[in-house]
Amino acid sequence: MDQVVGFLGGGQLGRMTIEAANDLNIKCVVLDQGHSPAKQVLAHAEHVDGSFKDPASVKKLAEKCTTITVEIEHVDTYVMEEIEKDPNFRAKIEPHWQTIRTIQNKYNQKLHLHQHGVRTAEFEDLEGKSEEDIKTLGQKWGYPLMLKSKTEAYDGRGNFPVKSDADILEAMQALGGRPLYAERWANFKAEVAVMVVKAKNGEFAYPPVETVHEDSILKLVFAPARNVSKGVLQQAQKLATKAIGTFKGKGVYGVEMFLLEDDSLLVNEIAPRPHNSGHYTIEGCYMSQFQAHLHAILDLPIAQEDLELREPSIMLNILGGETTDSHEKVKMKALHITRKAHIHMYGKGPARKGRKMGHITVTAKTMAQAEALVQPIVDIADEVRG
Ligand code: ATP
Ligand code: MG
Ligand code: MG
């Protein structure tokens, strides 16, 4: 049988990876509910309708493919482990299920990084702990501190900044019922991210980018990172590569970092898959993160020079606004301004506030030109978000 790549998850990351696979006639199958964004760009009857958390559905997908990969980390890793150990399944799993299991629990992910000598913000388990225990942490670390859900976290849903003793109960209620841990606040001057590719022939790093979050949701990405010295950029690539070196399995990984006032770096978190901070690579680099992911998991050629930046790039997320279609204004603005704004809509249907509906990447000869081009689009995006 020819190679077939199976995707756990059919959101925008799967969609853009399949767009890259389509260019190479690589067959893909998607497991997700309904007519999800990834299924829309690949018409055939083999996709599996179900949940990536449901063992029977995952096995159904596994029977149809030669390689299984993920576009989301919140999957059932126990059935992945079973598939790996069962000789009746031929499908390889990339990255390794152990990697996904460790990363999908942010507390275990931090423990893993700590054990491997990768610096993160200080953190404490809160399971079985009370309001009083969190107050004690507040005294020890000072406020603000971040309460985080260990599991099922994305786009800041699962984080609650605690600014004083008075916030603790509200925070515990807001994240009620979820397994929690606390993180010491990182007083960062910037956030940077590096996409790392783990392939048969080694690890390769994309250029470090600057990420700007609003309400814990990624808003803008500047590639290359602005106002950061060459030395710090090199450190960021080195730290990201070191962090990914501790995990098993091929594919692309996103490494989010905090750059502190003294120019030292902490790892915030890791994604074992293509990542929003790497969307700029579609137009910004010779090889996109989605192509790189396919090349890595299928042992196709890949080299460091493929990951070089072609032109300074800025990515803007198109987030849902007050109404189900208000985000369309952002797209229309970009459409009317310049062909240097590359639009990617995800086919998600009606929007909810703050949901990622698409993104735009502006590329230009200089970062200053890219900034000037993107600003009017950012203004509309701000208006839409309210
Ligand atoms: P993602 O969509 O990236 O997976 P997430 O829900 O996993 O997001 P985090 O990456 O933990 O959330 O946090 C989102 C943002 O919140 C960070 O990028 C940063 O801006 C802020 N943040 C998180 N942890 C801290 C911290 N310890 N100190 C200061 N700011 C923080
Ligand atoms: Mg996350
Ligand atoms: Mg994050």
Side-chain angles (χ1 to χ4, degrees), residues 144-193:
L145 59 81
M146 194 67 111
L147 234 56
K148 291 193 179 187
S149 170
K150 294 180 179 178
T151 56
E152 302 291 330
Y154 71 100
D155 291 349
R157 295 167 217 218
N159 287 359
F160 200 108
V162 177
K163 298 192 180 77
S164 71
D165 285 356
D167 286 351
I168 296 175
L169 266 189
E170 190 193 343
M172 290 174 87
Q173 272 159 11
L175 299 174
R178 302 173 73 170
L180 300 182
Y181 76 103
E183 259 180 48
R184 189 169 178 161
W185 199 261
N187 262 324
F188 55 79
K189 61 177 178 187
E191 290 186 83
V192 293

Side-chain angles (χ1 to χ4, degrees), residues 89-102:
F89 289 101
R90 316 147 295 162
K92 292 184 301 165
I93 301 173
E94 300 289 358
H96 200 271
W97 53 263
Q98 254 168 12
T99 294
I100 299 166
R101 188 176 297 167
T102 303

Side-chain angles (χ1 to χ4, degrees), residues 19 33 65 67 75 83 98 118 172 185 213 228 256 263 273 310-311 315 320 382:
E19 283 168 342
Q33 318 278 5
C65 53
T67 302
V75 296
I83 289 166
Q98 254 168 12
V118 176
M172 290 174 87
W185 199 261
H213 294 77
V228 180
E256 299 177 11
D263 273 352
R273 51 166 170 78
R310 288 147 68 122
E311 266 196 331
M315 192 248 19
D382 287 342

